Amino acid sequence: MEKINALGRRKAAVARVYLTEGTGKITIDKRSLDEYFPSSILQYVVKQPLKTLDCEEKYDIYAHLDGGGYKGQAEALRLAISRALVKINPEDKATLRAEGFMTRDPRSVERKKPGQPKARKRFQFSKR
């Protein structure tokens, strides 16, 4: 099996994933998963598609992450891994979609408007 690549995005984060057959090692920007995401919750988020399909020990994953915060990066990586797994076996798509891993989350930060302190917040109104 050759390298399978996929892209995942969330907020400002972009994840490029390269999947090969292997022993289940996940490397992100030349660092291990535990080193890159010390939080066990974020490690769980990244591994969700692999756990769902029962193939945690089957593939080696190399990922390149760019932009965003750590939560956005973890969710972008989850989407990229899901997309790569579907490229390998298209029958898994229904299972991953049912769990919500195939949907790109469209929510992002609303832009700041001129004449306001934030996107929605207004300056305090003064009658006099």
Side-chain angles (χ1 to χ4, degrees), residues 38-54:
S39 163
S40 58
I41 294 164
L42 295 177
Q43 290 173 25
Y44 171 76
V45 166
V46 169
K47 290 179 182 175
Q48 274 179 315
L50 298 167
K51 279 196 173 107
T52 306
L53 299 177
D54 239 14

Side-chain angles (χ1 to χ4, degrees), residues 59-128:
Y59 302 110
D60 279 348
I61 297 169
Y62 178 76
H64 177 72
L65 291 174
D66 194 41
Y70 49 86
K71 178 119 169 55
Q73 285 185 346
E75 291 181 10
L77 185 53
R78 178 176 70 183
L79 177 62
I81 290 169
S82 300
R83 285 178 172 173
L85 290 169
V86 166
K87 277 186 181 177
I88 292 168
N89 186 4
E91 285 120 53
D92 294 335
K93 190 171 185 174
T95 314
L96 292 171
R97 183 168 291 290
E99 293 289 326
F101 302 148
M102 292 303 296
T103 310
R104 164 39 166 128
D105 195 337
R107 297 175 296 171
S108 61
V109 180
E110 193 174 326
R111 77 176 190 87
K112 184 196 168 299
K113 318 297 186 308
Q116 295 175 20
K118 290 163 80 176
R120 301 258 171 126
K121 191 178 184 182
R122 307 286 196 262
F123 287 114
Q124 187 171 349
F125 175 73
S126 170
K127 198 167 191 176
R128 284 175 197 90

